[in-house]
Amino acid sequence: VQLQAFGGGLVQPGGSLRLSCAASGSILSINAMGWYRQAAGKERELVTTITNGGSTNYADSVSGRFTISRDNAKKTVYLQMNSLKPEDTAVYYCMMNIDTMTADGINYWGKGTLVTVSS
């Protein structure tokens, strides 16, 4: 199983970016999906998650500005980021909890995509 993230880049404060992350490989089903981020010198933190039923959870710091969504047919999770702030600058990682032929409920991670918010 591999996760590939796209969409990072440089954006001005107040701007928007959309991240996407697609899974590939021998996948039976995908349970929860999520996005985490790690700023320079800080620990990785949860940004948002979405269950296979569509229930979402957001960190307080992004609630109201970020929106997570998923397309199960495409095995893809999205993160729409609006009203970006310099403190949102970080490497963003996608995560999916996946069932395969050999194991259930394993967390897989993408390699990360850098988001820089700066004028």
Side-chain angles (χ1 to χ4, degrees):
V1 175
Q2 291 187 327
L3 273 60
Q4 181 88 44
F6 304 92
L10 174 64
V11 63
Q12 292 187 342
S16 298
L17 274 179
R18 188 190 195 210
L19 306 182
S20 61
C21 175
S24 61
S26 299
I27 296 170
L28 291 181
S29 62
I30 303 177
N31 306 307
M33 299 178 176
W35 291 93
Y36 292 69
R37 68 186 181 186
Q38 186 167 18
K42 296 187 177 181
E43 294 186 353
R44 189 175 298 188
E45 64 176 0
L46 171 69
V47 177
T48 178
T49 60
I50 184 168
T51 68
N52 54 5
S55 296
T56 58
N57 178 57
Y58 294 93
D60 289 344
S61 59
V62 306
S63 182
R65 299 188 297 121
F66 291 11
T67 302
I68 189 171
S69 60
R70 62 190 284 168
D71 185 327
N72 292 328
K74 295 182 178 179
K75 300 183 180 67
T76 299
V77 62
Y78 304 95
L79 182 64
Q80 178 66 44
M81 304 184 291
N82 298 329
S83 302
L84 282 160
K85 304 175 181 180
E87 51 263 43
D88 294 318
T89 296
V91 177
Y92 284 70
Y93 298 89
C94 57
M95 184 283 296
M96 297 188 189
N97 185 271
I98 294 175
D99 297 337
T100 66
M101 289 289 289
T102 57
D104 289 344
I106 302 298
N107 287 341
Y108 291 87
W109 294 84
K111 289 187 177 180
T113 184
L114 177 62
V115 172
T116 303
V117 184
S118 175
S119 55

